[in-house]
Amino acid sequence: MAGMCKMGSVLKFIGGVLNKAVSFVVFSVLDLLDFILCYGYKVADFCIEAEWRPCYCSSAKEAITSSGKILVSEQGESKIVSLNSSKLQLEDISDTLYSRPSLVAEVSKLTVNELKKFKLDGTAETKKGSTRSTFTINSIIVEMLQGKMVGRQLHHIPTWSDCDCKFCNSWTSSSKDTLYVKAQGPKDNKAREDVIFIHGFISSSAFWTETLFPNFSNTAKSTYRFLAVDLLGFGRSPKPADSLYTLREHVGMIEKSVLEAYEVKSFHIVAHSLGCILALALAVKHPGSIKSLTLLTPPYFLVPKGEAATQYVMRKLAPRRVWPVMAFCTSLACWYEHISRTICLVICKNHRLWEFLTKLVTRNRVRTFLMEGFFCHTHNAAWHTLHNIICGTSTKLDRYLDVVRDRMKCDVNIFHGKDDEVIPLECSFNVQKKIPRARVKVVENKDHITIVVGRQKVFARELEEIWNRSSRSH
């Protein structure tokens, strides 16, 4: 038995070394490929659309423009400063958008730093003094803002690499500048309570409407009004090309499209993955209105002292490893702006073909609502939402959780699949450490998606129990 355990440890060690070695080679090649694609897309954009589409690959430099917006950054936190005649606005922007060093450069820098430490160790103490705050202006975001904001109204102009089908662009035919919301429940405002459902990254309201909505009991359907929203940039909601998909934009659109449009006063929230961050931000803005918070796989990472929070979260979420597969996929999405654009070009723009082939191969036996949610977004929306929400809010989540713990009395419940390879299980327990009253349920043999899909009947009963308990306590 001892020999078997030792052999298992040796094999695990060898597998880890091989994973790191293969990953170094693969991601070094991907670094080069993304660099080549950068120039390829510049040529393609200019030839097809007669203008350059700015990207985040160029080095940052100080710039002042006539756009009225600049980006300032300090110690990993960045903000867009918007000036107009009436107010000053600050938009939170993640520095991971423009600070993603290549793997070779990162390893080289780490090696040089270690050699410097070794050389300087014991020779002299570092001079102590006051640290001066320095702000830098990132010209890349300025260029994007110039190209998208100056002299142009806030409307969607699809790029040649975006899908132009009616489903993906259905929002352009409406005069309302609001998100798509699927509402179900008693009419004429007879519902006693409202429930808002917020989906995760590259998903849609169908994640809820095709799974949970049909499985709620008749009592729940007559008691609650269910409001499932497509987030800005996803599903049937607007996908503005001039948006940076910041936290303020996402939360503001939910308030406008759900709370105001449906006259919601108090409500329960059910959120998945990235949606958990938006749920917490919404709860903090409306602390007296929240009856219960149900969070599925919340991406809350404890950042060590001295680490840049945004960069740390990006590396935890996307470790640049070829195995497991989900780590490889998230690494492609996080680290490579142009490779991820290529993936959107191949998959999202041609989603009708992929859906047809799937139905053909499976003989139409497989429901494709998850595919529709995955396909219906633009690269601009996915890229900025991933960085500005998951990575960019890493410095805010501690404060949000403190507010929920200290200022709110609502019921907090957390669900996490034990086999989740996207968001580690420790994230849910990290939330519980911040909010001791939170209940954490680990679901065996379930992952990031099957935490709902495949167990929708059971989860629907669990939600109804949570809402009933919360109503009794209030």
Side-chain angles (χ1 to χ4, degrees), residues 12 21 57 104 126 163 172 209 248 340 342 357 360-362 373-374 388 401 474:
K12 185 176 181 180
C57 295
V104 174
T126 304
C163 180
T172 58
T209 61
R248 186 188 66 82
S340 59
T342 303
L357 291 176
L360 184 66
V361 171
T362 62
F374 179 79
N388 285 335
L401 294 171
H474 280 76

Side-chain angles (χ1 to χ4, degrees), residues 416-423 425 442-448 450:
H416 208 121
K418 191 172 183 179
D419 297 338
D420 196 327
E421 293 182 341
V422 180
I423 306 298
L425 183 58
V442 179
V443 185
E444 297 287 339
N445 304 316
K446 298 299 178 183
D447 58 27
H448 199 67
T450 57

Side-chain angles (χ1 to χ4, degrees), residues 26-38:
V26 169
F27 284 98
S28 295
V29 172
L30 291 175
D31 287 338
L32 177 61
L33 177 60
D34 199 65
F35 176 79
I36 295 172
L37 285 174
C38 174

Side-chain angles (χ1 to χ4, degrees), residues 34 41 53 55-56 159 161-163 201-202 233-234 239 245 332-333 336-345 348 375-387:
D34 199 65
Y41 278 118
R53 284 182 57 81
C55 64
Y56 294 98
T159 66
S161 57
D162 291 334
C163 180
F201 185 58
I202 52 174
F234 299 89
K239 305 172 182 68
Y245 296 89
L332 287 180
Y336 300 106
E337 181 178 2
H338 303 290
I339 291 176
S340 59
R341 183 181 177 184
T342 303
I343 294 172
C344 283
L345 171 62
C348 299
F375 290 143
C376 198
H377 66 272
T378 64
H379 173 255
N380 182 56
W383 177 256
H384 286 95
T385 297
L386 175 60
H387 284 277

Side-chain angles (χ1 to χ4, degrees), residues 1-17:
M1 182 64 70
M4 291 290 289
C5 292
K6 187 174 182 181
M7 180 62 71
S9 299
V10 171
L11 290 176
K12 185 176 181 180
F13 174 76
I14 294 174
V17 172

